[in-house]
Amino acid sequence: MANEHASMLFKLYCLTVMTLVAATYTVALRYTRTVSSQLYFSTTAVCIAEIIKLFISVGLLVKETGSVGRMLSSIREHVFGSPKELLKLSVPSVVYGIQNNMAFVALSNLDAAVYQVTYQLKIPCTALCTVLMLNRSLSKLQWFSVFMLCGGVALVQWKPAEASNIQVEQNPLLGFVAIAIAVLCSGFAGVYFEKVLKSSDTSLWVRNIQMYLSGIAVTLAGVYMTDGAQMIEKAFLGYTPWVCFVISLASVGGLYTSVVVKYTDNIMKGFSAAAAIILSTIASVILFGLQITVSFATGALLVCVSIYMYGLPKQDTTKLRTDENSSTSKEKLLAV
């Protein structure tokens, strides 16, 4: 009983932290892209986040293996000694790099609450990739919730809520296109990474190291191609404590989510996503003067309900059929 109580407390802790990280990251990123007079290079922020993730993964691998020596031998064997595996993990690295950069573009042009709701389109995208890449099936309720979620997002985007305290020029269409790209990237990369993880017994932290090494190379190339000419003069111009806070959230949040997924179920993750939407909306009203419209409120409600419905466990129909067959057999025996 005590163990069950402790397990529930740990799950609630995971749920709370995951919700706060998701909501805070979105609102803080939006704040850094709209309030500061001197914008920082988002490509450098994404690159730094990848570097921090790499160091954290190395530290966690040391803890998992028990010593620095075992960690180094593990890296030599699985990272530098397995170029094919490194190449395999470069695929999600590229896709995640695009996704993270698109998040900065989206939140430069859309309110945090609108972004948070629209970004839930990653659920139907992930569901489709799961069906195609992992040969899994979805229940009728899950398909219904997917269409409901799309309808909710359509309502939110039909007449987006506007923030009165934002003075910078914005392009909502560009923001929506950026979210669409981020959603596609999130769905594909997440399912691809899951497939790679389950294809072998290699440690999660070794896989993360493989992915982040490729990610650093990809994001460095992105920095050079997009902002290379200005990097010498303005490399870290506009880096405020808030920007550093956003980078730390991006670094810790990604790693923490992978741990949380291991200990929580889909229902709890659904509650977390819905709570993050509510917190982001409240913060946007207070910080940015977001004006809630009827279409936004209705669409956000539909999205929250659909997330919960999607996470409900599937009904075990095989057991129901067995019970029905046994009851039928009993009725026949009684009749005889």
Side-chain angles (χ1 to χ4, degrees):
M1 188 73 178
N3 288 335
E4 289 180 6
H5 182 65
S7 176
M8 180 54 65
L9 285 177
F10 179 71
K11 286 184 177 182
L12 288 174
Y13 161 76
C14 291
L15 174 69
T16 304
V17 174
M18 186 165 63
T19 302
L20 290 175
V21 167
T24 306
Y25 172 73
T26 304
V27 175
L29 201 161
R30 171 66 172 172
Y31 180 83
T32 62
R33 301 302 291 177
T34 55
V35 173
S36 177
S37 58
Q38 179 64 56
L39 279 183
Y40 57 96
F41 293 119
S42 60
T43 51
T44 59
V46 173
C47 184
I48 293 170
E50 293 295 304
I51 294 170
I52 295 173
K53 288 177 188 176
L54 176 63
F55 280 109
I56 294 175
S57 295
V58 169
L60 290 170
L61 184 59
V62 171
K63 183 179 179 181
E64 184 179 79
T65 56
S67 69
V68 176
R70 292 196 192 97
M71 179 271 295
L72 290 174
S73 63
S74 180
I75 289 178
R76 275 195 299 269
E77 178 185 354
H78 296 288
V79 180
F80 300 110
S82 305
K84 288 184 179 179
E85 294 298 310
L86 197 61
L87 186 63
K88 189 188 295 184
L89 268 297
S90 66
V91 175
S93 297
V94 173
V95 179
Y96 276 132
I98 296 170
Q99 175 197 334
N100 292 331
N101 278 287
M102 287 300 104
F104 280 86
V105 175
L107 283 164
S108 298
N109 294 280
L110 291 173
D111 185 81
V114 176
Y115 170 88
Q116 193 73 265
V117 174
T118 310
Y119 189 64
Q120 300 310 315
L121 283 172
K122 66 181 180 181
I123 293 176
C125 185
T126 303
L128 184 60
C129 289
T130 300
V131 171
L132 296 176
M133 296 171 64
L134 299 180
N135 296 321
R136 291 179 187 167
S137 61
L138 299 180
S139 66
K140 291 180 180 179
L141 181 63
Q142 285 178 315
W143 280 118
F144 177 75
S145 65
V146 163
F147 286 111
M148 181 189 289
L149 189 147
C150 293
V153 171
L155 276 176
V156 169
Q157 289 294 332
W158 182 260
K159 190 178 179 182
E162 296 180 354
S164 58
N165 295 349
I166 302 299
Q167 303 300 327
V168 296
E169 186 178 350
Q170 299 177 104
N171 186 341
L173 179 60
L174 176 61
F176 180 74
V177 171
I179 289 185
I181 295 172
V183 160
L184 291 172
C185 290
S186 175
F188 171 77
V191 175
Y192 182 96
F193 189 56
E194 180 184 349
K195 189 173 184 178
V196 171
L197 280 178
K198 293 183 177 179
S199 65
S200 69
D201 296 328
T202 307
S203 165
L204 169 65
W205 305 118
V206 169
R207 289 300 192 188
N208 278 338
I209 290 169
Q210 291 172 333
M211 187 165 63
Y212 296 142
L213 280 172
S214 303
I216 291 169
V218 168
T219 52
L220 279 174
V223 170
Y224 177 77
M225 287 188 292
T226 56
D227 304 312
Q230 306 175 63
M231 281 302 297
I232 298 174
E233 298 178 2
K234 306 176 181 179
F236 297 104
L237 198 64
Y239 267 69
T240 63
W242 278 108
V243 176
C244 297
F245 179 59
V246 167
I247 293 172
S248 65
L249 283 176
S251 305
V252 178
L255 289 167
Y256 190 82
T257 301
S258 64
V259 177
V260 166
V261 168
K262 185 178 179 180
Y263 294 104
T264 61
D265 54 27
N266 284 326
I267 296 177
M268 294 191 77
K269 285 185 284 182
F271 275 120
S272 175
I277 290 172
I278 295 169
L279 289 176
S280 298
T281 303
I282 294 171
S284 295
V285 171
I286 296 171
L287 295 174
F288 310 120
L290 181 70
Q291 298 172 352
I292 304 296
T293 62
V294 175
S295 61
F296 174 86
T298 307
L301 179 62
L302 283 175
V303 168
C304 291
V305 172
S306 65
I307 292 171
Y308 170 74
M309 289 171 58
Y310 185 84
L312 289 175
K314 291 183 180 180
Q315 190 175 17
D316 191 353
T317 54
T318 57
K319 186 178 179 181
L320 290 174
R321 289 196 194 99
T322 304
D323 291 342
E324 286 175 3
N325 291 335
S326 62
S327 62
T328 305
S329 300
K330 288 178 181 178
E331 287 175 1
K332 287 180 179 178
L333 287 171
L334 289 171
V336 172

